[in-house]
Amino acid sequence: MVVLNFQPVQFRANIAHCSGQRHENGSRNKRMVIFRPRCRITEPTGVPAPMGQKTKYKDGFFEMIFMNLFARKMEKFASSSASKKKQEKDDGWFNYDYESFVDVSKRVMQGRSRPQQQEVVRKVLLSMLPPGAPAQFRKLFPPTKWAAEFNAALTVPFFHWLVGPSEVIEVEVNGVKQRSGVLIKKCRYLENSGCVGMCVNMCKIPTQDFFTSEFGLPLTMNPKFEDMSCEMVYGQVPPPFEEDEVSKQACYKDLCSMANPSANLCPKLLS
């Protein structure tokens, strides 16, 4: 999924495990003040929980704004099976937490094919942007090494509420090494949904397509389902779905409430 926030920010690599601290660097004549975004993991270890367990987070004001904004946009496309719950949430802001945000995603999937699910996400993302934003993005960020690295740096602080801790890493794109990769330690969206289909249809594919087609900046996302980590590579053109390893992924039989234990592939990836 995509989060855009146009405001002056100074970035440093590897800011996954941090607190809301002020750091000062500088010479004799001037100082550079860097504000690191506050991480919200409340696990005793300070890192994501082991596989099979849900990481505990404490979401702040801005995280709740993003959750509620996305959830409200997606609710318009969600199944009516929870219409009463929807009406209650429409009465005021900050009625969605992360679990209810994921629940909206599940209801969006109901009764829709894989392409239809992805199209809903595309519409939601476009609705979050001002008119002409994709064209402006293309002008500001043509598909260059600098643009890829800059967007990787943006991803770490602004996607934290959605996917959890991450860090910028070096990757190779078309034979060139560059710091345009983002390693998500354990995806919050995947561990809360426990659903391969939601990961692929509601996040990976539509986000890849949105950056590549709408913004003109190629992006490939490579989730690793064995540990729920994910590698995002800005500047790398994604493969067709049929050639992507995720198209052959089985369900989380012990984690997903919608899983088909007897199926070799996740049913949500078949249609």
Side-chain angles (χ1 to χ4, degrees), residues 11-18 36 39 153 156 165-169 179 183 185:
F11 298 98
R12 298 177 71 182
N14 193 15
I15 58 175
H17 307 301
C18 55
R36 290 182 171 185
C39 292
V156 173
S166 63
E167 63 180 349
V168 173
I169 60 173
R179 293 185 62 78
L183 176 62
K185 306 298 181 66

Side-chain angles (χ1 to χ4, degrees), residues 205-224:
I205 299 298
T207 302
Q208 288 181 168
D209 289 347
F210 199 81
F211 270 92
T212 303
S213 301
E214 300 291 341
F215 285 165
L217 180 64
L219 169 65
T220 296
M221 299 178 68
N222 299 312
K224 293 181 174 58

